[in-house]
Amino acid sequence: MSDFLINLNLIFHYLWQVIKNWWWLFLPFYLYPKLIDQYLWFIQEKWDSKIKKVFLEIKLPKEIKKPIKAMEQIFADFHGLHDIPTWREVWIEGQFQLGLSLEIVSRAGKIHFYIRTPEMFKDFIVSNIYAQYPEAEISTVEDYTKSVPLDIPNKDWDIWGVDYVNAKDDIYPIKTYSKFEDEKETKKETITDPLSNLLEGMSDLRPGEQMWYQVVIKPVLGRDFPWQEKGKKLVDKLVGRAEKEKSKSIPRQIYELLFLAKAPGETIKKEADVIPPEMKLTPGETEVISAVEEKLSKFGYKCNCRVIYLGKRDVFFKPRVKTFFGFFKTISTENLGGLKPWSKTLTKSKSVLFWFLDKRILYFRQRRIFRNYKMRTPPLFPRPGGIFVLNTEELATLYHFPGEAAAPTVGISRVEIKKGVAPIELPTE
């Protein structure tokens, strides 16, 4: 027994000597991923700083006869703006897929629709919007976030905000506008719009109050975000479809032949099931599979979504944030997907262990979400997280241009004069 302990002590002694003298050999393997992330972040920030961004404000016509599907077509067209960067463009020049920011803003009850875009995409975006909404008015404006102090929260201004994430896996779709149309009443005068409740709540703000709603989107291209593969695996799992058997290695086949008396390629045949797996599905499971397959059939975007309510402290009324909660509840379902507030970025702190730091944690979260909103960056920037996939139909549900009949909110900026074609006989000089 004593010899065993002596040998064990010697082993630990030599092991400690190796760790003490050669620990630094493992350091590069630990730091490599972090250094790569920092390098990419540095060159991408440098490249992005050279890309000029512009803000487009869209004033809506009173009468919009086209359905929300017209907005879905616009997002399908936007998907063609990008291409997959090459290795040199990514790792040497710092290029990456540029995104758009879709924003709805209410200032003192006046509602505005904005799109923030790289200047190089401006003409393409404007022409596509006019193609679907020819009576809209589009103008270039200043960034509205510059109209408030940079140091919010401060002694005069307060702020609340949160990022939204998918309640389930990206593959599960949210409740889209088509479902609202299916559920509306049979009367022709009844029009259901998923944005109506949100816009109604935003129109009730008083002077000194503001509500900001933002969806940042980037197209899913190539295999950088394999949501299609994930969706197909989920459908196969729900249906009960067996996975394809992977090819076995030669050593594995030799082992089975010698020790299991099993010829190469031989498989144990299970008794055939008379009823196919598809026939065993419940109506709810069938609905889920149909919805997932429908989502996979359309173009996808990597998205992050956030909302902010801010105002001067003498008028700041936090219960107004229920407007956001109510809107996102209407586009969520229990059996499929939906968007929920992300506790990691919610401007609230009720720590049990570090209760004495609650005020500092709250201040940090308020500053972070305010900064991320102004920069249009992901929730945990520069770290990953908070990104999910929506297709064109889901995006059209979250951001579209409602007509006055669907959203009669008086605060929406609309075109008062209907544009027409000039008479042919009108003199040009």
Side-chain angles (χ1 to χ4, degrees):
M1 186 67 180
S2 59
D3 293 339
F4 172 76
L5 293 176
I6 293 174
N7 292 332
L8 187 62
N9 288 332
L10 286 174
I11 292 174
F12 280 113
H13 173 74
Y14 288 126
L15 183 61
W16 170 246
Q17 292 299 320
V18 170
I19 295 175
K20 185 173 68 173
N21 294 310
W22 300 99
W23 63 268
W24 53 270
L25 287 176
F26 302 95
L27 192 61
F29 297 97
Y30 173 76
L31 295 177
Y32 177 76
K34 301 180 184 300
L35 293 175
I36 289 295
D37 290 341
Q38 290 299 315
Y39 168 74
L40 279 177
W41 175 74
F42 173 76
I43 61 175
Q44 287 177 355
E45 284 291 294
K46 185 178 179 180
W47 179 75
D48 186 53
S49 64
K50 300 176 183 178
I51 306 298
K52 184 178 179 181
K53 315 296 192 307
V54 295
F55 280 82
L56 304 176
E57 180 177 6
I58 301 93
K59 287 189 177 181
L60 314 182
K62 286 189 175 181
E63 296 182 5
I64 297 181
K65 297 181 180 179
K66 290 194 174 183
I68 301 177
K69 192 173 183 63
M71 198 70 202
E72 182 182 345
Q73 181 60 48
I74 290 177
F75 288 129
D77 294 337
F78 286 177
H79 202 274
L81 281 172
H82 303 75
D83 56 4
I84 301 176
T86 63
W87 185 93
R88 174 181 174 81
E89 290 173 337
V90 173
W91 294 97
I92 304 300
E93 301 176 10
Q95 294 190 28
F96 60 92
Q97 292 179 22
L98 296 170
L100 306 177
S101 185
L102 317 171
E103 301 174 6
I104 304 176
V105 176
S106 175
R107 288 175 284 183
K110 298 295 182 181
I111 300 174
H112 305 267
F113 287 77
Y114 297 105
I115 296 180
R116 179 184 183 260
T117 173
E119 189 177 35
M120 65 182 76
F121 299 156
K122 174 185 173 182
D123 293 340
F124 181 85
I125 290 175
V126 170
S127 62
N128 274 273
I129 294 177
Y130 276 140
Q132 299 294 336
Y133 304 95
E135 295 182 354
E137 285 188 359
I138 305 176
S139 57
T140 304
V141 297
E142 289 293 324
D143 184 356
Y144 60 89
T145 63
K146 297 179 181 179
S147 64
V148 298
L150 297 176
D151 61 343
I152 293 178
N154 54 35
K155 64 178 181 178
D156 299 320
W157 289 75
D158 201 356
I159 185 174
W160 175 95
V162 69
D163 290 277
Y164 273 80
V165 293
N166 206 318
K168 292 186 177 181
D169 196 280
D170 295 344
I171 306 306
Y172 291 92
I174 67 173
K175 183 179 179 181
T176 60
Y177 68 86
S178 60
K179 303 300 185 295
F180 286 86
E181 293 174 352
D182 294 340
E183 295 174 359
K184 71 181 181 181
E185 297 178 14
T186 56
K187 296 180 181 179
K188 292 184 178 180
E189 65 269 21
T190 302
I191 301 177
T192 304
D193 191 300
L195 278 180
S196 58
N197 292 338
L198 174 65
L199 298 176
E200 190 66 34
M202 296 177 84
S203 67
D204 290 337
L205 301 187
R206 297 172 292 176
E209 293 180 294
Q210 298 189 27
M211 276 187 174
W212 299 353
Y213 167 82
Q214 178 186 85
V215 184
V216 181
I217 64 174
K218 292 183 181 181
V220 178
L221 298 175
R223 299 183 62 84
D224 62 336
F225 211 85
W227 70 297
Q228 291 279 350
E229 289 78 0
K230 288 170 61 180
K232 292 175 183 177
K233 289 181 180 179
L234 176 62
V235 171
D236 290 342
K237 181 179 178 181
L238 293 174
V239 173
R241 190 178 294 130
E243 296 184 5
K244 294 182 179 179
E245 186 177 359
K246 297 181 180 179
S247 59
K248 299 177 182 179
S249 62
I250 294 178
R252 177 66 181 176
Q253 294 181 28
I254 295 174
Y255 170 80
E256 291 182 352
L257 180 61
L258 295 177
F259 298 98
L260 301 180
K262 189 177 177 183
E266 181 184 349
T267 57
I268 300 175
K269 295 182 180 180
K270 296 182 179 179
E271 185 177 353
D273 198 338
V274 178
I275 304 176
E278 293 81 358
M279 299 296 293
K280 298 180 180 180
L281 298 175
T282 65
E285 292 172 335
T286 303
E287 181 186 0
V288 171
I289 293 172
S290 176
V292 170
E293 290 182 332
E294 185 178 357
K295 177 169 183 174
L296 296 174
S297 67
K298 300 183 179 183
F299 294 120
Y301 283 86
K302 291 180 288 186
C303 308
N304 63 275
C305 177
R306 64 173 58 94
V307 294
I308 280 180
Y309 166 63
L310 68 161
K312 295 184 178 180
R313 292 190 180 273
D314 57 342
V315 295
F316 188 85
F317 186 57
K318 192 174 178 180
R320 290 196 186 277
V321 303
K322 294 180 179 179
T323 297
F324 294 125
F325 292 135
F327 165 66
F328 286 105
K329 275 291 185 181
T330 61
I331 60 170
S332 303
T333 57
E334 291 291 343
N335 63 330
L336 294 174
L339 299 181
K340 66 175 183 178
W342 201 19
S343 59
K344 286 186 177 181
T345 63
L346 180 64
T347 52
K348 179 180 179 181
S349 178
K350 295 293 182 182
S351 176
V352 177
L353 297 178
F354 304 101
W355 54 269
F356 54 91
L357 295 176
D358 278 349
K359 290 185 178 180
R360 297 305 303 171
I361 295 173
L362 175 60
Y363 176 78
F364 169 76
R365 291 189 171 192
Q366 290 174 319
R367 292 292 298 161
R368 181 179 62 184
I369 199 165
F370 184 63
R371 178 204 65 191
N372 288 343
Y373 191 104
K374 290 170 66 70
M375 295 177 64
R376 280 77 183 181
T377 53
L380 303 181
F381 179 82
R383 294 178 292 130
I387 305 295
F388 50 92
V389 175
L390 299 177
N391 69 7
T392 52
E393 182 176 343
E394 293 172 299
L395 276 182
T397 304
L398 294 180
Y399 185 91
H400 58 268
F401 306 137
E404 192 173 33
T409 305
V410 295
I412 299 179
S413 299
R414 296 189 184 273
V415 180
E416 298 296 333
I417 301 175
K418 186 176 181 179
K419 293 185 290 185
V421 180
I424 299 176
E425 64 274 9
L426 189 68
T428 58
E429 296 183 1

